[in-house]
C-alpha cells in the first residue's frame, strides 16, 4: 500500500538481509502485493475489516494494537489486506446514494455526486492529507535516537481511512435522518444539531488520527496533533453565534457541483 520504510529486519549470517527478503520488503513489492489482492475477494478478510470498523467507534486503540502485531509479524505498519478499503468504498457509495435521495437529486445528479465524493472528498483529499502527515511526521516528529525508522506512506493513508470512516458514518448516514425535518429548517435547533454532528465527526477524525501516530513508538510530541481541537471548538461556537449552518452549506455546495 505504497509504504516506504527503513526498519531493522531479521538478519541472516553477517547481519544483511538475503536477496529474497530484501526484495519482499521493498515498497514496490508491498504495493504490488496489495494491489494484486485488491482483485481477489476470496483472499480478503472482510470479517476482520468489519471488526475494525466497529472498534473504530467503541475502542479505536484496539485497532492500532493490531497494527503493532502486523509490524512484528510482517515487518510493515500499513495494511496488507485491502478488505477495509473495499468495505469503506461500499459504505461510501451507499451513503452517498442516500444523501442524493434525501436531497431529492435525480439519477444522473446522484451519479455525479457519487463520483465527486469518491474521487475528490475521499481519494483526493485523502491523498493530500496522508502525504502532508507523512511529510510532517517524518520531518518533525521522528525521535533522533530512532533515525533508522520512518513513517510509511501507506500507514499514513491507513490512518486517514481509519479516521475518515467514523466521519463518513456520522455525516453521510446518521445526519441523513435529521436533514430535512431538523437541520435544514433555518432554526437554532437546526444548526445546533447539524453543527454538533460536524463537531463530533471532525473531532473524531482528529482523535483517531492522533491515536494512529501516537501508536508509533519512534515518534515524539504527537500530542500536537490534538491542537486542532482548539480552533474547531472556536469555529463551532462562532457558527452558533452567527447562525452558520455547516450542513446547509455542504448541501448547497453538492447541489452546485452536480448541476
Amino acid at each position: 500500500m505504497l509504504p516506504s520504510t527503513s526498519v531493522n529486519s531479521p538478519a541472516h549470517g553477517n547481519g544483511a538481509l538475503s536477496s529474497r527478503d530484501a526484495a519482499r520488503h521493498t515498497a514496490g513489492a508491498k504495493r504490488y502485493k496489495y494491489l494484486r489482492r485488491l482483485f481477489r475477494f476470496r483472499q480478503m478478510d472482510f470479517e476482520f475489516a468489519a471488526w475494525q470498523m466497529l472498534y473504530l467507534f467503541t475502542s479505536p486503540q484496539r485497532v492500532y494494537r493490531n497494527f503493532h502485531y502486523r509490524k512484528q509479524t510482517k515487518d510493515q505498519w500499513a495494511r496488507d489486506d485491502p478488505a477495509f478499503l473495499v468495505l469503506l468504498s461500499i459504505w461510501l457509495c451507499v451513503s452517498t446514494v442516500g444523501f442524493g435521495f434525501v436531497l431529492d437529486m435525480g439519477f444522473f445528479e446522484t451519479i455525479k455526486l457519487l463520483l465527486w465524493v469518491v474521487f475528490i472528498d475521499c481519494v483526493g483529499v485523502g491523498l493530500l492529507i496522508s502525504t502532508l502527515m507523512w511529510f510532517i511526521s517524518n520531518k518533525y516528529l521522528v525521535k533522533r535516537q530512532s533515525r533508522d525508522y520512518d513513517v510509511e506512506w501507506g500507514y499514513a493513508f491507513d490512518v486517514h481511512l481509519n479516521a475518515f470512516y467514523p466521519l463518513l458514518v456520522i455525516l453521510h448516514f446518521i445526519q441523513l435522518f435529521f436533514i430535512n425535518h431538523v437541520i435544514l429548517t433555518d432554526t437554532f435547533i437546526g444548526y445546533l444539531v447539524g453543527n454538533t454532528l460536524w463537531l463530533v465527526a471532525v473531532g473524531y477524525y482528529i482523535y483517531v488520527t492522533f491515536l494512529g501516530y501516537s501508536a508509533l513508538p519512534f515518534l515524539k510530541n504527537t500530542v500536537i496533533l490534538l491542537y486542532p481541537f482548539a480552533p474547531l471548538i472556536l469555529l463551532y461556537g462562532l457558527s452558533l453565534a452567527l447562525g452558520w449552518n455547516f450542513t446547509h452549506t455542504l448541501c448547497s455546495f453538492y447541489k452546485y457541483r452536480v448541476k
Side-chain angles (χ1 to χ4, degrees):
M1 190 164 178
L2 302 179
S4 176
T5 184
S6 174
V7 296
N8 295 329
S9 300
H12 299 267
N14 60 358
L17 285 173
S18 68
S19 58
R20 177 180 295 181
D21 287 338
R24 189 180 68 228
H25 288 86
T26 62
K30 294 178 182 179
R31 178 173 63 247
Y32 172 75
K33 180 181 178 182
Y34 185 88
L35 293 177
R36 184 180 60 183
R37 292 188 67 180
L38 190 60
F39 301 98
R40 299 182 178 181
F41 292 99
R42 292 184 179 180
Q43 295 184 5
M44 299 184 195
D45 191 346
F46 289 107
E47 182 179 354
F48 182 69
W51 172 88
Q52 289 185 315
M53 288 182 164
L54 173 64
Y55 277 103
L56 281 172
F57 277 100
T58 61
S59 182
Q61 297 91 336
R62 297 184 63 175
V63 176
Y64 288 114
R65 281 201 290 269
N66 174 259
F67 281 77
H68 274 277
Y69 176 75
R70 184 183 302 109
K71 177 61 179 175
Q72 295 171 357
T73 58
K74 300 182 179 181
D75 195 30
Q76 71 177 62
W77 291 97
R79 289 187 177 97
D80 60 344
D81 185 350
F84 186 92
L85 179 61
V86 172
L87 290 184
L88 178 63
S89 300
I90 295 174
W91 254 105
L92 192 62
C93 293
V94 172
S95 63
T96 302
V97 171
F99 216 105
F101 176 78
V102 169
L103 295 182
D104 197 26
M105 293 183 178
F107 175 78
F108 291 105
E109 290 178 328
T110 302
I111 295 299
K112 290 180 182 179
L113 176 63
L114 178 62
L115 294 175
W116 177 272
V117 170
V118 171
F119 292 104
I120 303 299
D121 290 355
C122 182
V123 178
V125 175
L127 293 175
L128 179 62
I129 293 178
S130 301
T131 302
L132 180 63
M133 292 301 300
W134 168 77
F135 173 79
I136 292 175
S137 58
N138 281 313
K139 183 73 173 179
Y140 301 106
L141 301 182
V142 174
K143 298 177 182 177
R144 290 185 178 180
Q145 62 269 29
S146 302
R147 283 178 291 180
D148 289 338
Y149 293 85
D150 67 353
V151 178
E152 303 170 5
W153 187 93
Y155 181 79
F157 189 67
D158 278 338
V159 171
H160 165 71
L161 294 181
N162 289 344
F164 181 78
Y165 173 69
L167 181 145
L168 172 69
V169 172
I170 294 171
L171 296 183
H172 269 229
F173 179 68
I174 296 176
Q175 186 174 226
L176 295 183
F177 297 96
F178 303 95
I179 284 185
N180 287 331
H181 301 292
V182 179
I183 297 176
L184 299 183
T185 55
D186 290 328
T187 63
F188 176 78
I189 295 297
Y191 53 81
L192 173 64
V193 172
N195 292 4
T196 300
L197 288 175
W198 276 86
L199 174 68
V200 174
V202 178
Y204 222 106
Y205 184 94
I206 295 171
Y207 177 63
V208 175
T209 299
F210 159 73
L211 290 179
Y213 289 95
S214 63
L216 299 179
F218 52 88
L219 294 185
K220 62 180 180 179
N221 300 328
T222 53
V223 69
I224 66 173
L225 300 178
L226 293 176
Y227 288 178
F229 267 112
L232 174 64
I233 294 174
L234 177 61
L235 181 62
Y236 172 74
L238 287 175
S239 69
L240 296 182
L242 300 175
W244 178 16
N245 191 322
F246 295 153
T247 302
H248 186 275
T249 302
L250 176 69
C251 292
S252 298
F253 175 74
Y254 276 166
K255 289 181 179 180
Y256 170 77
R257 292 307 310 173
V258 300
K259 285 183 180 180

